[in-house]
Amino acid sequence: MSFFADFAYEGARGIAGPFLALLGASGLVVGAAGGLGELAGYGLRLVSGPLADRTRAYWPITIAGYVVQMAAVPALALAGSWQAAASLLVLERIGKATRNPPRDVMLSHAGAEMGGYGWAFGLHEALDQFGALLGPLAMAAALAWRHDYHLAFAVLAVPAACTLALLGAARVLYPHTGEFEPAGRAPADGPGFSRAFWLYLAGAGLVAAGFADFPLIGFHFEKAALLAPRWIPAYYAAAMGAGGVGSLVFGKLFDRVGLKILAPLTVVTALYAPLAFLAGRWPALAGVALWGLGVGVHESILAAAVATMVPPERRATAYGLFTAAFGLFWFLGSVLLGLLYDASLAAVAIVAAALQIAGVPFILAAARLRFAAR
């Protein structure tokens, strides 16, 4: 299900930047639209997460989110202005915000049975990323066959329909959630969340602020004439492939080593910014691959780490809170990088890398606290 979902919406995101540029959007508009989408995609989890914990309606909330998201993607084929396209991109993120906290709780329950949260979320993220690899490749093929963005978006109705069909099958086959993991398995640190949780949130937020949204990267490739339009989604596919492999590897390492594994990874992946925004065609490919590796691994370990810090009965709320803050930082960083893009490419590269490296001390502090609590 996640494979086809990412095939659909990441395929759309892979060509969203050039599509917005074609419709007349500026660099600031592209950066702000991407950041607003991430803000909506994370901020609304403050609602869906606590709602899922209170009602235990994990499946209904998850289904509603997937329906909204999978409807918004092929609807981009009908967009005739950048305002309409940007609105649909934000709506797609709203659908994702609705379904992710309850879905992640179900994944964490399965992870307890599979023997490791890192492996469970790493495997899930890898399937996400491999779907996200093939989606942009399909868009590249569609644009190579006929340079028509509207037709390319229409093609994504097929994986969207597959997602919803598999969603219905999963609901029938696995109607009961939470049956794998007993309540209170993860440590509870009093009535509030632990200090490690908040330190990790601060570090992850700084890392998120340093991630340029891919529409801005694709926009840069289009404006700088660095790549032909049909190659931009192919670069995005390479990023998703790197993220998928990295999620499998680092998910296993997280189960063995813990949160500190993110520190060296973050330092290395921060190099994506100077490579993507300041270098030529082939170094930019390496930069995009590092970007995908960083996004994929942080997203998978984020969910796995929170599962070790919060007991099952409070987990949807924790996911909602954590990812809402993550999205807020991503939004603020995206707007900042969009503003800087219109002024100086060097400033984009320096600020993006500096923000990510600034998050490393917080991640290491959280890792030390988690180790001491064992």
Side-chain angles (χ1 to χ4, degrees), residues 109-201:
H109 293 157
E113 179 72 10
M114 293 169 65
Y117 295 119
W119 173 241
F121 283 102
L123 179 60
H124 160 72
E125 185 67 20
L127 291 169
D128 272 1
Q129 299 290 57
F130 292 138
L133 183 154
L134 293 180
L137 284 179
M139 294 299 92
L143 290 176
W145 173 56
R146 184 180 298 177
H147 191 67
D148 185 341
Y149 282 95
H150 294 90
L151 176 63
F153 285 121
V155 168
L156 295 175
V158 175
C162 291
T163 300
L164 297 180
L166 288 168
L167 178 66
R171 173 63 180 84
V172 172
L173 293 171
Y174 301 97
H176 306 295
T177 59
E179 59 190 16
F180 298 123
E181 186 174 8
R185 170 168 175 160
D189 299 283
F193 296 119
S194 67
R195 186 183 176 196
F197 176 89
W198 295 112
L199 284 169
Y200 179 42
L201 189 153

Side-chain angles (χ1 to χ4, degrees), residues 57-76:
Y58 297 116
W59 270 120
I61 297 171
T62 300
I63 290 170
Y66 271 110
V67 169
V68 170
Q69 186 182 31
M70 292 299 104
V73 169
L76 285 162

Side-chain angles (χ1 to χ4, degrees), residues 1 47-66 95 97-109 167 170-171 174-181 183 310-320:
M1 189 174 70
V47 177
S48 62
L51 180 63
D53 274 341
R54 286 197 303 269
T55 65
R56 297 294 189 264
Y58 297 116
W59 270 120
I61 297 171
T62 300
I63 290 170
Y66 271 110
T98 303
R99 50 92 161 173
N100 263 33
R103 185 213 62 188
D104 284 349
V105 171
M106 292 190 279
L107 285 172
S108 73
H109 293 157
L167 178 66
R171 173 63 180 84
Y174 301 97
H176 306 295
T177 59
E179 59 190 16
F180 298 123
E181 186 174 8
V310 181
E313 60 270 19
R314 301 184 61 206
R315 210 166 277 165
T317 300
Y319 282 132

Side-chain angles (χ1 to χ4, degrees), residues 29 40 54 60 123 131 191 264 282 302:
V29 166
R54 286 197 303 269
L123 179 60
W282 296 113
L302 180 157

Side-chain angles (χ1 to χ4, degrees), residues 212-237:
D213 208 48
F214 190 81
L216 182 62
I217 297 175
F219 179 84
H220 166 66
F221 292 161
E222 172 84 5
K223 286 294 185 182
L226 196 66
L227 298 174
R230 66 180 179 275
W231 287 108
I232 294 175
Y235 269 45
Y236 188 64

